[in-house]
Amino acid sequence: MGKGDSGGPVPQHVAIIMDGNGRWAQQHKLPRLSGHEAGRKSVKRVVQAAIAHGVRYLTLYAFSVENWQRPREEVQGLMGLLRLVLREELAEMGREGVRLRAIGRLQDLPEAVREELAAAIEKTKSNTKLDLILALSYGSRVEITEAAKAIAREVKDGRLDPERIDENSISDHLYTRGIPDPDLLIRTSGEMRVSNFMLWQISYAEIHVTSVLWPDFGKEQFASALADYAKRERRFGGV
Ligand code: IPE
Ligand code: IPE
Ligand code: MG
């Protein structure tokens, strides 16, 4: 773990619930989609800030399984935006050493998005500066349910002894297999809830909630979240 500007530890993995695009749009008397478009710029700023601070993994909650219930127009707008971002940011991700990854029910995404995503993942797979993990059609309960099913199948086929199932067996069947758990969880726009995000993985994450809306979140807010983290005393149940 590296040292930050303040001399304290830098989180290896930061996960962010990017919330408040709709409220930002409302404040500016704009359609909700304009809020999502503004949020795209925050993503860029935060990726650059994460690299500058030496964060190694950045997970962004971009679309939840529950978000499919939103009006069709908004869902389509978000999917269109996602496709555009993947295409337009690919070159920059390459230049900055970003490895793109994705977690969630990717099979639910429109084919055009899946293709763009697969191409970006493939083209950036050797980059090592920052793993940028997009949570797309992501739901933690469905992730855990799928893991339980996969484990049950292995037991049924005689490939796994139930007595040997441990916490690592569960972790190894989640979308985040091989990725260290988040050290810091940030939620923007002030909501004090986790909204079905990485329930297993955030067991011991430090939580930073800011009232700043996601489109207003930038380098300074990221730095203050890291400074807040650096002051925390992580005990993991010890003394
Ligand atoms: C977060 O902003 C982005 C997504 C969930 C896709 P919201 O769209 O939830 O914004 P609010 O919560 O309505 O302000
Ligand atoms: C959480 O935000 C999901 C994402 C940021 C993608 P929501 O706006 O969907 O969550 P709730 O409805 O406030 O719990
Ligand atoms: Mg919201």
Side-chain angles (χ1 to χ4, degrees):
M1 197 175 282
K3 296 275 187 212
D5 299 342
S6 55
V10 174
Q12 185 186 22
H13 184 173
V14 177
I16 308 182
I17 302 175
M18 310 184 287
D19 198 16
N21 295 351
R23 277 160 281 179
W24 183 92
Q26 200 173 24
Q27 277 183 5
H28 292 78
K29 302 198 166 33
L30 292 167
R32 288 182 62 85
L33 196 61
S34 303
H36 299 312
E37 281 162 357
R40 168 188 179 175
K41 300 199 184 93
S42 300
V43 170
K44 258 188 105 116
R45 292 194 290 261
V46 166
V47 167
Q48 285 163 0
I51 294 170
H53 284 274
V55 169
R56 185 62 187 75
Y57 299 87
L58 177 67
T59 300
L60 301 178
Y61 201 7
F63 196 86
S64 73
V65 277
E66 289 80 14
N67 289 150
W68 292 112
Q69 298 164 35
R70 292 190 178 195
R72 209 169 65 125
E73 196 187 54
E74 182 173 350
V75 171
Q76 283 180 349
L78 276 166
M79 290 301 142
L81 183 63
L82 179 58
R83 190 179 162 202
L84 200 72
V85 170
L86 289 167
R87 185 181 306 168
E88 292 183 354
E89 302 299 332
L90 182 58
E92 175 130 12
M93 287 193 282
R95 279 195 296 275
E96 290 180 339
V98 173
R99 175 183 177 189
L100 186 77
R101 305 173 72 164
I103 57 172
R105 288 183 48 87
L106 307 181
Q107 67 271 31
D108 294 346
L109 298 170
E111 200 181 331
V113 174
R114 282 203 317 264
E115 281 172 7
E116 214 72 60
L117 188 63
I121 290 170
E122 176 62 26
K123 289 195 178 120
T124 61
K125 69 178 183 198
S126 309
N127 295 343
T128 54
K129 197 108 189 164
L130 174 79
D131 281 29
L132 173 61
I133 303 149
L134 295 183
L136 298 169
S137 190
Y138 177 86
S140 187
R141 285 188 166 188
V142 76
E143 175 183 37
I144 293 169
T145 305
E146 283 178 15
K149 266 193 213 163
I151 291 169
R153 258 183 254 118
E154 287 174 28
V155 169
K156 185 170 171 244
D157 297 348
R159 285 180 285 143
L160 180 64
D161 173 0
E163 296 313 316
R164 293 194 47 217
I165 297 172
D166 59 12
E167 292 185 7
N168 289 328
S169 326
I170 311 287
S171 294
D172 287 347
H173 286 83
L174 298 176
Y175 304 136
T176 48
R177 177 177 51 246
I179 298 170
D181 289 340
D183 302 291
L184 172 63
L185 173 68
I186 300 173
R187 182 164 186 152
T188 59
S189 88
E191 239 70 69
M192 299 284 186
R193 54 177 174 255
V194 289
S195 303
N196 200 14
F197 187 51
M198 300 186 107
L199 302 179
W200 173 276
Q201 296 90 337
I202 61 169
S203 291
Y204 268 101
E206 294 295 326
I207 301 175
H208 175 90
V209 176
T210 169
S211 59
V212 173
L213 305 174
W214 178 249
D216 292 326
F217 193 91
K219 289 183 165 44
E220 278 170 36
Q221 289 75 16
F222 190 79
S224 57
L226 260 55
D228 182 21
Y229 172 85
K231 287 188 297 213
R232 304 282 179 91
E233 187 196 347
R234 301 184 81 185
R235 294 197 188 157
F236 301 99
V239 286

